[in-house]
Structures are given as structure tokens and as C-alpha cells.
Amino acid sequence: VARYRDLLWPQYADYLARLNWSRSCLPKLPEINDALSATGWSVSHVNGFESSHTIYQLIASQVFPVARTVRSMEHVEFSPQPDQLHDLVGHVPFLFNPEFARLAVAIARRALEFQPSTLDRELHQANDQLSTMKARRSGDWLAVAHSENRVRNLTERSEATPSAFARISRIF
């Protein structure tokens, strides 16, 4: 954090520093939970692509989902799947901000009032399948291209006629 402090939003740098981790390793969940204890939040591992409904249930309970996996060096700049580094650096620090935390809970609770449509579920499954293929580097580029087209088509359909669940999900 110190190295990039001048480039970061000052509050974000402070929040990140509260996690008290070193450059040599990612912190363990109990350490993160200790740091977050005063906020009323905790973190819990999830496996890859969880459904939005599951994510909202966790967030509504002030439990932030953190992916169990860590991106490979090949994907250091962009991970095709949810990963621990993204969650810990990109989301968890903001839980120290009371306004953000309250907003996250409010959005999650509102989202739980709606059910995902069939199209929402299909798009989730297609994204999960595509990310798994890319993470495994299967080499079957034809299958990857087919999967990318499926995601693109489902996304276009969802954007044209979004369900109430999809509309509120886009807020996150």
C-alpha cells in the first residue's frame, strides 16, 4: 500500500492497510475477520461462481463471499474466474466504509425480494462454464468460441428484456 499510496483514493488505502497484510502472502480469513470485527462484517470462502441469490443472502447477513481460488500467474492481470485476490483487494476494504456497507446490505436485501428468471440462470451457467474453460486452458478454442458466443447471445437477450432480478443485480 505504501508504494502506491499516492495513486490510491486515500480512504481506500486506509481501508486496505487495516487488513494488515504483507506483500508475501494473502491474509487468512480469520485474520480478515479479526480486522473486520468492529464493522459487524465477516468474510467466508465460496467456490467459484456462486449464484447471485447465494451472494445476496451472504451480503444481506453481512458476510462477504471470498473466492477460495487464487489466480494463476498466467492470469495475474485478469482472472477468468472469481478469485481471492480480486475479492480481498477489490471488495473487502470497502466494508470498512459504513455508507458502502449499509448500501451493500440494502441492495442485497432488495435483490432477495426477486427471483432470477430462467434466462438469468442460463446466463449464470454459461458464464460459469466459459470461465471454467478459460481457467483450465483446455486448448479447445472452438469450444471456447462457442461458449463465448452463447454468453454474448444470452447477455444481449438479458439486456434487451432484463428481469427485475437482473436489473437490481446490475447495481453491484
Side-chain angles (χ1 to χ4, degrees), residues 77-108:
E77 290 186 18
F78 176 79
S79 178
Q81 290 189 302
D83 84 301
Q84 202 172 108
L85 182 64
H86 170 86
D87 291 338
L88 294 177
V89 175
H91 298 290
V92 171
F94 292 104
L95 298 176
F96 288 107
N97 181 301
E99 293 84 16
F100 172 85
R102 280 193 299 275
L103 180 62
V105 169
I107 292 169

PDB file of all heavy atoms in Angstrom, residues 77-108:
ATOM      1  N   GLU A  77      -3.032 -10.545 -14.485  1.00  0.00           N
ATOM      2  CA  GLU A  77      -3.670  -9.259 -14.763  1.00  0.00           C
ATOM      3  C   GLU A  77      -5.186  -9.375 -14.885  1.00  0.00           C
ATOM      4  O   GLU A  77      -5.900  -8.407 -14.651  1.00  0.00           O
ATOM      5  CB  GLU A  77      -3.086  -8.639 -16.024  1.00  0.00           C
ATOM      6  CG  GLU A  77      -1.662  -8.184 -15.812  1.00  0.00           C
ATOM      7  CD  GLU A  77      -1.102  -7.439 -17.006  1.00  0.00           C
ATOM      8  OE1 GLU A  77      -1.896  -6.974 -17.845  1.00  0.00           O
ATOM      9  OE2 GLU A  77       0.122  -7.326 -17.096  1.00  0.00           O
ATOM     10  N   PHE A  78      -5.680 -10.522 -15.277  1.00  0.00           N
ATOM     11  CA  PHE A  78      -7.122 -10.733 -15.396  1.00  0.00           C
ATOM     12  C   PHE A  78      -7.414 -12.208 -15.181  1.00  0.00           C
ATOM     13  O   PHE A  78      -6.878 -13.054 -15.879  1.00  0.00           O
ATOM     14  CB  PHE A  78      -7.635 -10.303 -16.777  1.00  0.00           C
ATOM     15  CG  PHE A  78      -9.093 -10.609 -16.959  1.00  0.00           C
ATOM     16  CD1 PHE A  78     -10.052  -9.783 -16.408  1.00  0.00           C
ATOM     17  CD2 PHE A  78      -9.499 -11.741 -17.635  1.00  0.00           C
ATOM     18  CE1 PHE A  78     -11.409 -10.070 -16.546  1.00  0.00           C
ATOM     19  CE2 PHE A  78     -10.849 -12.042 -17.787  1.00  0.00           C
ATOM     20  CZ  PHE A  78     -11.805 -11.198 -17.240  1.00  0.00           C
ATOM     21  N   SER A  79      -8.266 -12.474 -14.228  1.00  0.00           N
ATOM     22  CA  SER A  79      -8.637 -13.857 -13.958  1.00  0.00           C
ATOM     23  C   SER A  79      -9.984 -14.164 -14.604  1.00  0.00           C
ATOM     24  O   SER A  79     -10.936 -13.405 -14.444  1.00  0.00           O
ATOM     25  CB  SER A  79      -8.739 -14.083 -12.450  1.00  0.00           C
ATOM     26  OG  SER A  79      -9.139 -15.404 -12.186  1.00  0.00           O
ATOM     27  N   PRO A  80     -10.091 -15.280 -15.331  1.00  0.00           N
ATOM     28  CA  PRO A  80     -11.367 -15.614 -15.945  1.00  0.00           C
ATOM     29  C   PRO A  80     -12.411 -16.090 -14.934  1.00  0.00           C
ATOM     30  O   PRO A  80     -13.586 -16.180 -15.260  1.00  0.00           O
ATOM     31  CB  PRO A  80     -11.008 -16.733 -16.926  1.00  0.00           C
ATOM     32  CG  PRO A  80      -9.763 -17.321 -16.388  1.00  0.00           C
ATOM     33  CD  PRO A  80      -9.033 -16.217 -15.679  1.00  0.00           C
ATOM     34  N   GLN A  81     -11.985 -16.395 -13.728  1.00  0.00           N
ATOM     35  CA  GLN A  81     -12.907 -16.863 -12.693  1.00  0.00           C
ATOM     36  C   GLN A  81     -12.797 -15.970 -11.465  1.00  0.00           C
ATOM     37  O   GLN A  81     -11.791 -15.295 -11.267  1.00  0.00           O
ATOM     38  CB  GLN A  81     -12.564 -18.290 -12.281  1.00  0.00           C
ATOM     39  CG  GLN A  81     -12.862 -19.307 -13.345  1.00  0.00           C
ATOM     40  CD  GLN A  81     -12.719 -20.707 -12.815  1.00  0.00           C
ATOM     41  OE1 GLN A  81     -11.668 -21.079 -12.330  1.00  0.00           O
ATOM     42  NE2 GLN A  81     -13.776 -21.489 -12.934  1.00  0.00           N
ATOM     43  N   PRO A  82     -13.835 -15.995 -10.630  1.00  0.00           N
ATOM     44  CA  PRO A  82     -13.710 -15.258  -9.366  1.00  0.00           C
ATOM     45  C   PRO A  82     -12.470 -15.757  -8.632  1.00  0.00           C
ATOM     46  O   PRO A  82     -12.159 -16.944  -8.655  1.00  0.00           O
ATOM     47  CB  PRO A  82     -14.981 -15.652  -8.608  1.00  0.00           C
ATOM     48  CG  PRO A  82     -15.942 -16.070  -9.665  1.00  0.00           C
ATOM     49  CD  PRO A  82     -15.107 -16.692 -10.750  1.00  0.00           C
ATOM     50  N   ASP A  83     -11.752 -14.826  -8.027  1.00  0.00           N
ATOM     51  CA  ASP A  83     -10.563 -15.257  -7.295  1.00  0.00           C
ATOM     52  C   ASP A  83     -10.371 -14.427  -6.043  1.00  0.00           C
ATOM     53  O   ASP A  83     -10.885 -13.324  -5.906  1.00  0.00           O
ATOM     54  CB  ASP A  83      -9.320 -15.236  -8.196  1.00  0.00           C
ATOM     55  CG  ASP A  83      -8.670 -13.882  -8.285  1.00  0.00           C
ATOM     56  OD1 ASP A  83      -9.326 -12.927  -8.712  1.00  0.00           O
ATOM     57  OD2 ASP A  83      -7.495 -13.784  -7.903  1.00  0.00           O
ATOM     58  N   GLN A  84      -9.625 -15.002  -5.117  1.00  0.00           N
ATOM     59  CA  GLN A  84      -9.400 -14.430  -3.808  1.00  0.00           C
ATOM     60  C   GLN A  84      -8.742 -13.053  -3.870  1.00  0.00           C
ATOM     61  O   GLN A  84      -9.141 -12.137  -3.144  1.00  0.00           O
ATOM     62  CB  GLN A  84      -8.522 -15.400  -3.008  1.00  0.00           C
ATOM     63  CG  GLN A  84      -8.627 -15.231  -1.538  1.00  0.00           C
ATOM     64  CD  GLN A  84      -7.892 -16.341  -0.827  1.00  0.00           C
ATOM     65  OE1 GLN A  84      -6.844 -16.081  -0.272  1.00  0.00           O
ATOM     66  NE2 GLN A  84      -8.424 -17.551  -0.854  1.00  0.00           N
ATOM     67  N   LEU A  85      -7.777 -12.901  -4.729  1.00  0.00           N
ATOM     68  CA  LEU A  85      -7.072 -11.619  -4.825  1.00  0.00           C
ATOM     69  C   LEU A  85      -8.044 -10.498  -5.187  1.00  0.00           C
ATOM     70  O   LEU A  85      -8.057  -9.436  -4.559  1.00  0.00           O
ATOM     71  CB  LEU A  85      -5.940 -11.713  -5.853  1.00  0.00           C
ATOM     72  CG  LEU A  85      -5.095 -10.458  -6.018  1.00  0.00           C
ATOM     73  CD1 LEU A  85      -4.347 -10.136  -4.735  1.00  0.00           C
ATOM     74  CD2 LEU A  85      -4.115 -10.647  -7.169  1.00  0.00           C
ATOM     75  N   HIS A  86      -8.872 -10.730  -6.181  1.00  0.00           N
ATOM     76  CA  HIS A  86      -9.858  -9.734  -6.594  1.00  0.00           C
ATOM     77  C   HIS A  86     -10.793  -9.381  -5.432  1.00  0.00           C
ATOM     78  O   HIS A  86     -11.053  -8.204  -5.163  1.00  0.00           O
ATOM     79  CB  HIS A  86     -10.673 -10.252  -7.783  1.00  0.00           C
ATOM     80  CG  HIS A  86     -11.845  -9.400  -8.119  1.00  0.00           C
ATOM     81  ND1 HIS A  86     -11.752  -8.316  -8.951  1.00  0.00           N
ATOM     82  CD2 HIS A  86     -13.136  -9.463  -7.712  1.00  0.00           C
ATOM     83  CE1 HIS A  86     -12.942  -7.742  -9.057  1.00  0.00           C
ATOM     84  NE2 HIS A  86     -13.796  -8.426  -8.312  1.00  0.00           N
ATOM     85  N   ASP A  87     -11.298 -10.397  -4.744  1.00  0.00           N
ATOM     86  CA  ASP A  87     -12.234 -10.148  -3.650  1.00  0.00           C
ATOM     87  C   ASP A  87     -11.572  -9.397  -2.499  1.00  0.00           C
ATOM     88  O   ASP A  87     -12.150  -8.448  -1.960  1.00  0.00           O
ATOM     89  CB  ASP A  87     -12.823 -11.463  -3.141  1.00  0.00           C
ATOM     90  CG  ASP A  87     -13.747 -12.110  -4.158  1.00  0.00           C
ATOM     91  OD1 ASP A  87     -14.259 -11.392  -5.048  1.00  0.00           O
ATOM     92  OD2 ASP A  87     -13.954 -13.338  -4.072  1.00  0.00           O
ATOM     93  N   LEU A  88     -10.361  -9.812  -2.136  1.00  0.00           N
ATOM     94  CA  LEU A  88      -9.693  -9.195  -0.992  1.00  0.00           C
ATOM     95  C   LEU A  88      -9.205  -7.776  -1.266  1.00  0.00           C
ATOM     96  O   LEU A  88      -9.250  -6.918  -0.388  1.00  0.00           O
ATOM     97  CB  LEU A  88      -8.520 -10.060  -0.522  1.00  0.00           C
ATOM     98  CG  LEU A  88      -8.903 -11.419   0.044  1.00  0.00           C
ATOM     99  CD1 LEU A  88      -7.652 -12.210   0.416  1.00  0.00           C
ATOM    100  CD2 LEU A  88      -9.826 -11.285   1.243  1.00  0.00           C
ATOM    101  N   VAL A  89      -8.749  -7.520  -2.468  1.00  0.00           N
ATOM    102  CA  VAL A  89      -8.238  -6.191  -2.797  1.00  0.00           C
ATOM    103  C   VAL A  89      -9.341  -5.291  -3.357  1.00  0.00           C
ATOM    104  O   VAL A  89      -9.389  -4.102  -3.070  1.00  0.00           O
ATOM    105  CB  VAL A  89      -7.062  -6.287  -3.801  1.00  0.00           C
ATOM    106  CG1 VAL A  89      -6.596  -4.909  -4.241  1.00  0.00           C
ATOM    107  CG2 VAL A  89      -5.902  -7.050  -3.171  1.00  0.00           C
ATOM    108  N   GLY A  90     -10.240  -5.882  -4.128  1.00  0.00           N
ATOM    109  CA  GLY A  90     -11.234  -5.083  -4.827  1.00  0.00           C
ATOM    110  C   GLY A  90     -12.522  -4.826  -4.078  1.00  0.00           C
ATOM    111  O   GLY A  90     -13.223  -3.865  -4.391  1.00  0.00           O
ATOM    112  N   HIS A  91     -12.863  -5.658  -3.102  1.00  0.00           N
ATOM    113  CA  HIS A  91     -14.146  -5.506  -2.421  1.00  0.00           C
ATOM    114  C   HIS A  91     -14.037  -5.356  -0.907  1.00  0.00           C
ATOM    115  O   HIS A  91     -14.650  -4.457  -0.335  1.00  0.00           O
ATOM    116  CB  HIS A  91     -15.058  -6.702  -2.723  1.00  0.00           C
ATOM    117  CG  HIS A  91     -15.399  -6.852  -4.159  1.00  0.00           C
ATOM    118  ND1 HIS A  91     -16.217  -5.976  -4.828  1.00  0.00           N
ATOM    119  CD2 HIS A  91     -15.023  -7.782  -5.071  1.00  0.00           C
ATOM    120  CE1 HIS A  91     -16.335  -6.355  -6.086  1.00  0.00           C
ATOM    121  NE2 HIS A  91     -15.609  -7.442  -6.263  1.00  0.00           N
ATOM    122  N   VAL A  92     -13.317  -6.251  -0.271  1.00  0.00           N
ATOM    123  CA  VAL A  92     -13.302  -6.309   1.193  1.00  0.00           C
ATOM    124  C   VAL A  92     -12.891  -4.982   1.837  1.00  0.00           C
ATOM    125  O   VAL A  92     -13.515  -4.573   2.832  1.00  0.00           O
ATOM    126  CB  VAL A  92     -12.437  -7.491   1.688  1.00  0.00           C
ATOM    127  CG1 VAL A  92     -12.227  -7.430   3.199  1.00  0.00           C
ATOM    128  CG2 VAL A  92     -13.102  -8.807   1.300  1.00  0.00           C
ATOM    129  N   PRO A  93     -11.905  -4.240   1.331  1.00  0.00           N
ATOM    130  CA  PRO A  93     -11.546  -2.977   2.002  1.00  0.00           C
ATOM    131  C   PRO A  93     -12.723  -2.008   2.149  1.00  0.00           C
ATOM    132  O   PRO A  93     -12.802  -1.265   3.136  1.00  0.00           O
ATOM    133  CB  PRO A  93     -10.451  -2.394   1.105  1.00  0.00           C
ATOM    134  CG  PRO A  93      -9.844  -3.591   0.461  1.00  0.00           C
ATOM    135  CD  PRO A  93     -10.992  -4.529   0.224  1.00  0.00           C
ATOM    136  N   PHE A  94     -13.656  -2.026   1.212  1.00  0.00           N
ATOM    137  CA  PHE A  94     -14.781  -1.093   1.269  1.00  0.00           C
ATOM    138  C   PHE A  94     -15.763  -1.427   2.387  1.00  0.00           C
ATOM    139  O   PHE A  94     -16.611  -0.597   2.737  1.00  0.00           O
ATOM    140  CB  PHE A  94     -15.486  -1.025  -0.082  1.00  0.00           C
ATOM    141  CG  PHE A  94     -14.628  -0.381  -1.128  1.00  0.00           C
ATOM    142  CD1 PHE A  94     -14.002  -1.148  -2.091  1.00  0.00           C
ATOM    143  CD2 PHE A  94     -14.408   0.987  -1.124  1.00  0.00           C
ATOM    144  CE1 PHE A  94     -13.185  -0.568  -3.048  1.00  0.00           C
ATOM    145  CE2 PHE A  94     -13.600   1.590  -2.073  1.00  0.00           C
ATOM    146  CZ  PHE A  94     -12.987   0.804  -3.042  1.00  0.00           C
ATOM    147  N   LEU A  95     -15.665  -2.607   2.972  1.00  0.00           N
ATOM    148  CA  LEU A  95     -16.543  -2.956   4.086  1.00  0.00           C
ATOM    149  C   LEU A  95     -16.237  -2.109   5.322  1.00  0.00           C
ATOM    150  O   LEU A  95     -17.064  -2.016   6.234  1.00  0.00           O
ATOM    151  CB  LEU A  95     -16.423  -4.449   4.414  1.00  0.00           C
ATOM    152  CG  LEU A  95     -16.833  -5.388   3.281  1.00  0.00           C
ATOM    153  CD1 LEU A  95     -16.585  -6.832   3.693  1.00  0.00           C
ATOM    154  CD2 LEU A  95     -18.266  -5.164   2.860  1.00  0.00           C
ATOM    155  N   PHE A  96     -15.083  -1.470   5.357  1.00  0.00           N
ATOM    156  CA  PHE A  96     -14.745  -0.560   6.459  1.00  0.00           C
ATOM    157  C   PHE A  96     -15.487   0.768   6.327  1.00  0.00           C
ATOM    158  O   PHE A  96     -15.527   1.549   7.269  1.00  0.00           O
ATOM    159  CB  PHE A  96     -13.234  -0.294   6.503  1.00  0.00           C
ATOM    160  CG  PHE A  96     -12.443  -1.472   6.977  1.00  0.00           C
ATOM    161  CD1 PHE A  96     -11.688  -2.213   6.080  1.00  0.00           C
ATOM    162  CD2 PHE A  96     -12.442  -1.853   8.316  1.00  0.00           C
ATOM    163  CE1 PHE A  96     -10.943  -3.305   6.502  1.00  0.00           C
ATOM    164  CE2 PHE A  96     -11.699  -2.950   8.747  1.00  0.00           C
ATOM    165  CZ  PHE A  96     -10.951  -3.677   7.838  1.00  0.00           C
ATOM    166  N   ASN A  97     -16.059   1.040   5.157  1.00  0.00           N
ATOM    167  CA  ASN A  97     -16.800   2.273   4.921  1.00  0.00           C
ATOM    168  C   ASN A  97     -18.259   2.024   5.294  1.00  0.00           C
ATOM    169  O   ASN A  97     -18.955   1.271   4.611  1.00  0.00           O
ATOM    170  CB  ASN A  97     -16.686   2.676   3.450  1.00  0.00           C
ATOM    171  CG  ASN A  97     -17.415   3.952   3.151  1.00  0.00           C
ATOM    172  OD1 ASN A  97     -18.614   4.051   3.353  1.00  0.00           O
ATOM    173  ND2 ASN A  97     -16.690   4.928   2.650  1.00  0.00           N
ATOM    174  N   PRO A  98     -18.757   2.648   6.366  1.00  0.00           N
ATOM    175  CA  PRO A  98     -20.122   2.357   6.831  1.00  0.00           C
ATOM    176  C   PRO A  98     -21.205   2.641   5.783  1.00  0.00           C
ATOM    177  O   PRO A  98     -22.172   1.887   5.680  1.00  0.00           O
ATOM    178  CB  PRO A  98     -20.302   3.274   8.043  1.00  0.00           C
ATOM    179  CG  PRO A  98     -18.940   3.689   8.446  1.00  0.00           C
ATOM    180  CD  PRO A  98     -18.068   3.603   7.227  1.00  0.00           C
ATOM    181  N   GLU A  99     -21.044   3.697   5.004  1.00  0.00           N
ATOM    182  CA  GLU A  99     -22.046   4.015   3.987  1.00  0.00           C
ATOM    183  C   GLU A  99     -22.089   2.937   2.903  1.00  0.00           C
ATOM    184  O   GLU A  99     -23.155   2.498   2.490  1.00  0.00           O
ATOM    185  CB  GLU A  99     -21.781   5.388   3.347  1.00  0.00           C
ATOM    186  CG  GLU A  99     -21.963   6.551   4.295  1.00  0.00           C
ATOM    187  CD  GLU A  99     -20.740   6.835   5.159  1.00  0.00           C
ATOM    188  OE1 GLU A  99     -19.629   6.345   4.839  1.00  0.00           O
ATOM    189  OE2 GLU A  99     -20.887   7.537   6.164  1.00  0.00           O
ATOM    190  N   PHE A 100     -20.927   2.519   2.450  1.00  0.00           N
ATOM    191  CA  PHE A 100     -20.865   1.456   1.442  1.00  0.00           C
ATOM    192  C   PHE A 100     -21.466   0.174   2.006  1.00  0.00           C
ATOM    193  O   PHE A 100     -22.246  -0.509   1.334  1.00  0.00           O
ATOM    194  CB  PHE A 100     -19.429   1.204   0.979  1.00  0.00           C
ATOM    195  CG  PHE A 100     -19.312   0.002   0.085  1.00  0.00           C
ATOM    196  CD1 PHE A 100     -19.552   0.113  -1.274  1.00  0.00           C
ATOM    197  CD2 PHE A 100     -19.004  -1.248   0.604  1.00  0.00           C
ATOM    198  CE1 PHE A 100     -19.491  -1.002  -2.104  1.00  0.00           C
ATOM    199  CE2 PHE A 100     -18.934  -2.365  -0.213  1.00  0.00           C
ATOM    200  CZ  PHE A 100     -19.173  -2.239  -1.566  1.00  0.00           C
ATOM    201  N   ALA A 101     -21.093  -0.157   3.226  1.00  0.00           N
ATOM    202  CA  ALA A 101     -21.566  -1.402   3.846  1.00  0.00           C
ATOM    203  C   ALA A 101     -23.087  -1.407   3.980  1.00  0.00           C
ATOM    204  O   ALA A 101     -23.738  -2.409   3.674  1.00  0.00           O
ATOM    205  CB  ALA A 101     -20.897  -1.590   5.201  1.00  0.00           C
ATOM    206  N   ARG A 102     -23.664  -0.289   4.415  1.00  0.00           N
ATOM    207  CA  ARG A 102     -25.125  -0.207   4.538  1.00  0.00           C
ATOM    208  C   ARG A 102     -25.794  -0.330   3.167  1.00  0.00           C
ATOM    209  O   ARG A 102     -26.814  -1.006   3.020  1.00  0.00           O
ATOM    210  CB  ARG A 102     -25.536   1.107   5.204  1.00  0.00           C
ATOM    211  CG  ARG A 102     -25.400   1.086   6.718  1.00  0.00           C
ATOM    212  CD  ARG A 102     -26.105   2.267   7.372  1.00  0.00           C
ATOM    213  NE  ARG A 102     -25.582   3.555   6.963  1.00  0.00           N
ATOM    214  CZ  ARG A 102     -24.528   4.166   7.517  1.00  0.00           C
ATOM    215  NH1 ARG A 102     -23.891   3.575   8.516  1.00  0.00           N
ATOM    216  NH2 ARG A 102     -24.126   5.339   7.093  1.00  0.00           N
ATOM    217  N   LEU A 103     -25.212   0.319   2.166  1.00  0.00           N
ATOM    218  CA  LEU A 103     -25.766   0.246   0.815  1.00  0.00           C
ATOM    219  C   LEU A 103     -25.711  -1.189   0.283  1.00  0.00           C
ATOM    220  O   LEU A 103     -26.671  -1.673  -0.317  1.00  0.00           O
ATOM    221  CB  LEU A 103     -25.021   1.192  -0.123  1.00  0.00           C
ATOM    222  CG  LEU A 103     -25.509   1.207  -1.575  1.00  0.00           C
ATOM    223  CD1 LEU A 103     -26.965   1.667  -1.649  1.00  0.00           C
ATOM    224  CD2 LEU A 103     -24.603   2.093  -2.418  1.00  0.00           C
ATOM    225  N   ALA A 104     -24.606  -1.877   0.510  1.00  0.00           N
ATOM    226  CA  ALA A 104     -24.468  -3.265   0.045  1.00  0.00           C
ATOM    227  C   ALA A 104     -25.551  -4.140   0.663  1.00  0.00           C
ATOM    228  O   ALA A 104     -26.186  -4.952  -0.040  1.00  0.00           O
ATOM    229  CB  ALA A 104     -23.079  -3.802   0.374  1.00  0.00           C
ATOM    230  N   VAL A 105     -25.789  -3.995   1.949  1.00  0.00           N
ATOM    231  CA  VAL A 105     -26.820  -4.787   2.626  1.00  0.00           C
ATOM    232  C   VAL A 105     -28.203  -4.435   2.081  1.00  0.00           C
ATOM    233  O   VAL A 105     -29.019  -5.323   1.801  1.00  0.00           O
ATOM    234  CB  VAL A 105     -26.764  -4.591   4.159  1.00  0.00           C
ATOM    235  CG1 VAL A 105     -27.980  -5.194   4.847  1.00  0.00           C
ATOM    236  CG2 VAL A 105     -25.485  -5.201   4.723  1.00  0.00           C
ATOM    237  N   ALA A 106     -28.472  -3.152   1.889  1.00  0.00           N
ATOM    238  CA  ALA A 106     -29.785  -2.723   1.383  1.00  0.00           C
ATOM    239  C   ALA A 106     -30.037  -3.271  -0.018  1.00  0.00           C
ATOM    240  O   ALA A 106     -31.139  -3.761  -0.312  1.00  0.00           O
ATOM    241  CB  ALA A 106     -29.873  -1.197   1.382  1.00  0.00           C
ATOM    242  N   ILE A 107     -29.042  -3.209  -0.881  1.00  0.00           N
ATOM    243  CA  ILE A 107     -29.203  -3.739  -2.242  1.00  0.00           C
ATOM    244  C   ILE A 107     -29.419  -5.246  -2.191  1.00  0.00           C
ATOM    245  O   ILE A 107     -30.289  -5.788  -2.887  1.00  0.00           O
ATOM    246  CB  ILE A 107     -27.988  -3.385  -3.119  1.00  0.00           C
ATOM    247  CG1 ILE A 107     -27.940  -1.875  -3.371  1.00  0.00           C
ATOM    248  CG2 ILE A 107     -28.029  -4.150  -4.442  1.00  0.00           C
ATOM    249  CD1 ILE A 107     -26.641  -1.402  -4.009  1.00  0.00           C
ATOM    250  N   ALA A 108     -28.645  -5.943  -1.380  1.00  0.00           N
ATOM    251  CA  ALA A 108     -28.777  -7.399  -1.282  1.00  0.00           C
ATOM    252  C   ALA A 108     -30.167  -7.782  -0.781  1.00  0.00           C
ATOM    253  O   ALA A 108     -30.801  -8.697  -1.322  1.00  0.00           O
ATOM    254  CB  ALA A 108     -27.698  -7.964  -0.368  1.00  0.00           C
TER     255      ALA A 108
END
